[in-house]
Amino acid sequence: MKMIWFWLLTLLCYQAKSAPVGRRILVSNGLGQTPQMGWNSWNHFSRHVTEEIVRETADAMISTGLSKLGYEYVNIDDCWAELNRDDEGNLAANASTFPSGIKALADYVHSKGLKLGIYSDAGLQTCSKTMPGSLGYEEQDAKTFASWGVDYLKYDNCNNASKDTKERYQNMSMALSKVGRPIFYSMCEWGQENPATWAPKIANSWRTTGDIHNNWESMISRADQNDMWASYAGPGGWNDPDMLEVGNGNMTTEEYRSHFSIWALMKAPLLVGCDIRSMSSETLEILSNEEVINVNQDSLGSQGKKVSKEGDLEVWAGPLSNGRVVIILWNRSSKSAFITAKWEDIGLPSESVVEARDLWNHSNLKGSLQGNVTSSVHSHACKMYILTPSSS
Ligand SMILES: *[C@@H]1O[C@H](CO)[C@@H](O)[C@H](O)[C@H]1NC(C)=O
Ligand SMILES: *[C@@H]1O[C@H](CO)[C@@H](O)[C@H](O)[C@H]1NC(C)=O
Ligand SMILES: *[C@@H]1O[C@H](CO)[C@@H](O)[C@H](O)[C@H]1NC(C)=O
Ligand SMILES: *[C@@H]1O[C@H](CO)[C@@H](O)[C@H](O)[C@H]1NC(C)=O
Ligand SMILES: *[C@@H]1O[C@H](CO)[C@@H](O)[C@H](O)[C@H]1NC(C)=O
Ligand SMILES: CC(=O)N[C@H]1CO[C@H](CO)[C@@H](O)[C@@H]1O
């Protein structure tokens, strides 16, 4: 009997590793059919999140129109709880920053038609060390989250007590599966043990990188690290190069546009990391580009990749539903340049004739194209097109 289980597990693992998208073995909560969209407190508020910020952010998701575009999760990151568990061993919200408690906050967020996310850690304490982790308390904490009406768990990797990583993440996955409420499971293991190869069975997304920082170098390095795992992503489970920095003010508008475009093409979670209560119109314009969001949320769920590179000139591409292809021409150098995408590099037959749609200019290129497309691209900027094969 033991032998049969061993065999079955080996077979499942092997299939998960080698199976193409569509036959992957997936976590059974049914969530994440497209990459998750929403907001998270960390990139802007760090340790200073409060229930007031979360409530006002939910309001702003509606008033800015972001919720209509698919942004739905409002996620609290680290530092929401008291340092110690209560008398019954339950996590308790910080009485001064979350005086109404998480249940009341979840009710409020739900009343807006949005979903509430929370944070914990697969260790003894969270990364800030101001609150307990869930290691050894997986079932109790999962039940607590469900009883509060939580819809999403980001699960960090600090203070691990030298316990096996896969087991730590798997135990929370099993605990979540037992609470009778679908809870999106976002693993934040920083890509240390190549989670793309084992996480699809237990989670809806998994970080492939360490934390992003609000600068160009950090952003492009997260994109490159995430790119390596493209073939493991698909409906139900996504690679996560970390949350968006768009709107946090240390990159240029063109750089933030590139950041958002590449995240969308990579089928990365689109979790806004700025203060949406007071964002600029430029930030809102980037975050609410519906044509780019549609690429991210495309039903095919295939992660686009870097397909060619000459120095700092890069072409990224990926298939979309209905035989379309999305491409990004990305100039990472310090001067503007012409960049060419060749059909042979982006998965189109050489004889294909296509129409091209510019997703940032919201216009169609004149005429049809065959063999390649070329455009001038400013320093650190990108051009993003959808190519649609002509019907004849
Ligand atoms: C709870 O919030 C207060 C007010 O911000 C803060 O001083 C305190 O350190 C927090 N407690 C924990 C355990 O983080
Ligand atoms: C636990 O954390 C330490 C320190 O960050 C790290 O060196 C070690 O690899 C981790 N072990 C596991 C099993 O995750
Ligand atoms: C995972 O859960 C099992 C069953 O409760 C337990 O025996 C094991 O120690 C847990 N593993 C870790 C790393 O906590
Ligand atoms: C802002 O960007 C600069 C240049 O890329 C970088 O050196 C700096 O660390 C960034 N600041 C923050 C807060 O990320
Ligand atoms: C944007 O589209 C218009 C046509 O709608 C075109 O005239 C213009 O050149 C385009 N600009 C860029 C930068 O592609
Ligand atoms: C013309 C020019 O300087 N373009 C830059 C954009 O990227 C290319 C690709 O390597 C660089 O060669 C150029 O420096």
Side-chain angles (χ1 to χ4, degrees), residues 81-83 94 96-97 130:
E82 290 288 349
L83 181 60
N94 183 318
S96 51
T97 49
T130 62

Side-chain angles (χ1 to χ4, degrees), residues 323-380:
R324 298 167 306 149
V325 173
V326 58
I327 65 168
I328 289 178
L329 311 178
W330 197 10
N331 183 357
R332 293 182 172 188
S333 82
S334 53
K335 298 187 209 150
S336 59
F338 284 92
I339 304 181
T340 298
K342 299 180 195 143
W343 279 198
E344 68 206 52
D345 291 333
I346 63 176
L348 280 174
S350 59
E351 67 278 10
S352 273
V353 176
V354 308
E355 311 291 325
R357 172 84 178 166
D358 181 330
L359 305 191
W360 285 107
N361 194 29
H362 304 296
S363 65
N364 297 328
L365 296 196
K366 285 210 184 74
S368 42
L369 301 162
Q370 188 174 8
N372 63 71
V373 56
T374 297
S375 179
S376 75
V377 187
H378 289 131
S379 169
H380 290 196

Side-chain angles (χ1 to χ4, degrees), residues 34-72:
T34 59
Q36 67 268 40
M37 293 177 66
W39 173 88
N40 173 291
S41 58
W42 189 256
N43 283 357
H44 187 85
F45 295 98
S46 178
R47 298 177 173 209
H48 307 294
V49 63
T50 64
E51 69 173 44
E52 192 180 15
I53 291 170
V54 175
R55 245 189 280 112
E56 291 177 2
T57 297
D59 295 346
M61 289 266 251
I62 309 292
S63 62
T64 56
L66 288 177
S67 65
K68 281 213 177 94
L69 295 166
Y71 295 93
E72 67 174 339

Side-chain angles (χ1 to χ4, degrees), residues 23-34:
R23 281 192 287 131
R24 298 146 72 234
I25 314 275
L26 292 169
V27 59
S28 61
N29 62 16
L31 300 173
Q33 291 307 302
T34 59

